[in-house]
């Protein structure tokens, strides 16, 4: 199936390539209401397509699972059940996920619904419009039944906002679910929904995917509907299967005349093509990952070699100190914007913003006037370095995170700003470089710690080369299936 066939037949099955990538999700001949949680989004859509179940049945089963699990795990913060029930009573778009329950992160607008961005500042905010990526996703037939938890303004690597409280990792409810798409990852990992929207501005798809044992791919900068060349954040999803992510990616990638890249042919298999994969367990500061993470990543490297890929040591062309000096300018500018919004409304910032947001704002206000311009120059140079690096390697393999998911509170809202900064600087030191370089990267749930916590492996590729990552992901999913691993806290 070529790209044109794929995009013109979005309502049909992905065909043999994608299905072979996830054999665990074979088409069921029948399904009972309590079986849906074990099916990925593609399998659920196929049941609807074959009229074996209705969208309403899928929706009610998902609502029942949320009502049973959410009081303990806190993934869904804004239920939209009645709205969703109204949707399934009308003809749904004949897209590739027609009738499949879906949740969106509480950073996106859906007209007439609450969008808080995880902050008390926006606790009563009602969206007047719908985000472009949301409109495109609903055109795929997805039925939005709620919004998922996120840290305040997506500024943290753990989802523990003051407004809603923490999302709990379904593998260990005392642990972090990651961030900033932590609520989305909890919803999918626990089986509330088979797939959920996620966004990534510094690791926010890959981090929670790693923490919760999911597949999470961050597309190239500007790749997806509604994105701009100046955006470091990218919208996509977290999912249990590779094929769900590939299918939604194919639907939501930009195809307009101004799109900076040609649509990616995500269904082309690697076939006999073998990849040259660079490998490192050290972060941008030269620090080694925690022993359990390092062990899991070494096993991932051996797995890649066992299926014929060439793996060799490599180091990405980035200096950690210089990188985070400039990245902090961009990271803190958004926080200061929200502080100015509060002040413009006559509010005391300390009453409506969390300490971490205020710390970032204060950091930004200490910067010289040309800090933003210098950061932009540095980021452009880094992108050129990464482009040159990926002339020599097809893919780079590193950890997603420096250590296993930490206990809730380690990155909580009460941690002093300077201490939070030091903790985050190490914990998420592997992911933001790809946002700045604009390169696609994915977390693949290949590893587990001795205590049973998921450990993701991060694979990155050249800008625009998502097809290589998906092709590799399908191979890894076949070679080391992860879907049979179930969270213990569900």
């Amino acid at each position: 199936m070529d790209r044109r066939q794929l995009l013109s037949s979005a309502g049909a099955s992905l065909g043999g390539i994608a299905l072979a990538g996830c054999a665990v999700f074979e088409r069921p001949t029948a399904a009972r209401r309590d079986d849906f949680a074990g099916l990925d989004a593609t399998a659920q859509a196929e049941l609807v397509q074959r009229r074996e179940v209705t969208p309403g049945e899928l929706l009610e089963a998902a609502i029942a699972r949320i009502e049973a699990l959410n009081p303990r795990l806190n993934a869904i913060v804004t239920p939209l059940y009645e709205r969703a029930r109204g949707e399934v009573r009308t003809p749904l778009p004949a897209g590739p996920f027609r009738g499949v329950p879906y949740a969106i992160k509480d950073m996106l607008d859906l007209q007439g619904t609450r969008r808080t961005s995880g902050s008390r500042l926006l606790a009563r905010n009602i969206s007047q419009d719908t985000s472009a990526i949301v409109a495109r996703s609903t055109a795929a037939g997805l039925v939005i039944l709620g919004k998922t938890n996120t840290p305040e303004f997506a500024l943290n690597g753990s989802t523990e906002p003051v407004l809603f409280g923490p999302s709990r990792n379904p593998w260990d409810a005392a642990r972090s679910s990651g961030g900033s798409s932590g609520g989305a990852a909890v919803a999918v990992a626990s089986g509330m929904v088979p797939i959920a929207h996620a966004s990534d501005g510094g690791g926010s798809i890959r981090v929670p995917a790693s923490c919760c044992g999911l597949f999470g791919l961050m597309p190239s900068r500007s790749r997806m509907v509604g994105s701009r060349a100046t955006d470091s954040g990218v919208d996509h999803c977290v999912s249990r299967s590779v094929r769900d992510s590939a299918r939604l990616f194919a639907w939501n990638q930009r195809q307009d005349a101004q799109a900076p890249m040609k649509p990616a042919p995500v269904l082309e298999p690697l076939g006999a093509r073998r990849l040259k994969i660079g490998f490192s367990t050290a972060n941008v500061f030269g620090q080694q990952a925690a022993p359990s993470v390092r062990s899991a990543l070494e096993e991932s490297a051996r797995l890649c070699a066992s299926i014929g890929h060439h793996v060799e040591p490599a180091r990405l062309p980035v200096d950690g100190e210089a990188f985070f000096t400039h990245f902090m300018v961009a990271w803190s500018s958004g926080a200061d914007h929200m502080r100015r919004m509060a002040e413009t409304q006559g509010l005391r910032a300390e009453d409506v913003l969390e300490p971490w947001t205020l710390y970032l704002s204060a950091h930004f206000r200490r910067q010289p006037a040309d800090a933003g311009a210098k950061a932009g120059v540095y980021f452009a140079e880094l992108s050129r370095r990464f482009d040159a690096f990926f002339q020599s390697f097809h893919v780079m393999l590193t950890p997603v995170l420096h250590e296993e998911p930490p206990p809730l509170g380690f990155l909580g809202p009460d941690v002093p700003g300077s201490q939070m900064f030091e903790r985050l600087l190490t914990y998420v030191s592997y992911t933001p470089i790809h946002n700045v370089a604009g390169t696609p990267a994915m977390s693949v749930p290949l590893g587990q710690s001795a205590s049973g916590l998921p450990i993701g492996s991060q694979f990155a590729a050249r800008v625009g080369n998502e097809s290589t990552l998906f092709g590799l992901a399908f191979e890894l999913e076949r070679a080391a299936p992860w879907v049979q691993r179930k969270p213990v806290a569900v």
Side-chain angles (χ1 to χ4, degrees), residues 334-355:
D336 190 58
H337 174 77
M338 304 317 298
R339 181 171 185 167
R340 285 185 279 112
M341 178 187 292
E343 293 168 345
T344 299
Q345 296 176 17
L347 300 171
R348 203 171 80 97
E350 291 76 9
D351 293 336
V352 291
L353 297 177
E354 295 180 11

Side-chain angles (χ1 to χ4, degrees), residues 105 154 156-157 178-182 198-211 216 218 232-234 238 327 400-401 428 430-436 441 443 458:
K105 188 174 175 180
N156 196 349
S180 63
S181 306
S199 59
D200 194 318
S204 293
I205 289 174
R206 292 158 288 157
V207 169
S210 178
C211 289
M218 178 194 70
S232 62
V234 186
V238 286
F327 184 74
V400 178
L401 293 165
V428 298
Y430 296 89
T431 55
I433 52 176
H434 295 294
N435 296 85
V436 168
S443 177
Q458 179 174 237

Side-chain angles (χ1 to χ4, degrees), residues 36-37 39-45 47-48 53-66 76 80-81 84-85 87-88 92 97-104 137-138 140-146 148 187-188 191-197 238 244 248:
F36 299 146
L39 304 179
D40 69 348
T42 297
Q44 292 191 27
L47 289 175
V48 172
V53 300
T54 66
E57 288 176 307
L58 290 180
L59 175 63
E60 293 303 326
I63 291 173
R65 292 193 299 272
I66 293 170
I76 304 294
L80 299 171
Y81 303 154
R85 285 169 173 143
E87 289 285 320
V88 299
L92 294 169
F97 292 108
R98 180 174 173 266
V100 174
Y102 191 61
I104 61 173
S137 297
T138 55
L142 291 163
V143 178
I144 298 171
L145 52 60
T148 58
V188 175
M192 295 180 193
V193 291
I195 188 172
H197 164 266
V238 286
D244 280 358
L248 188 60

Side-chain angles (χ1 to χ4, degrees), residues 203 236 342 412:
H236 190 34

Side-chain angles (χ1 to χ4, degrees), residues 429-453:
S429 51
Y430 296 89
T431 55
I433 52 176
H434 295 294
N435 296 85
V436 168
T439 44
M442 62 184 181
S443 177
V444 184
L446 297 175
Q448 273 191 307
S449 70
S451 60
L453 292 172

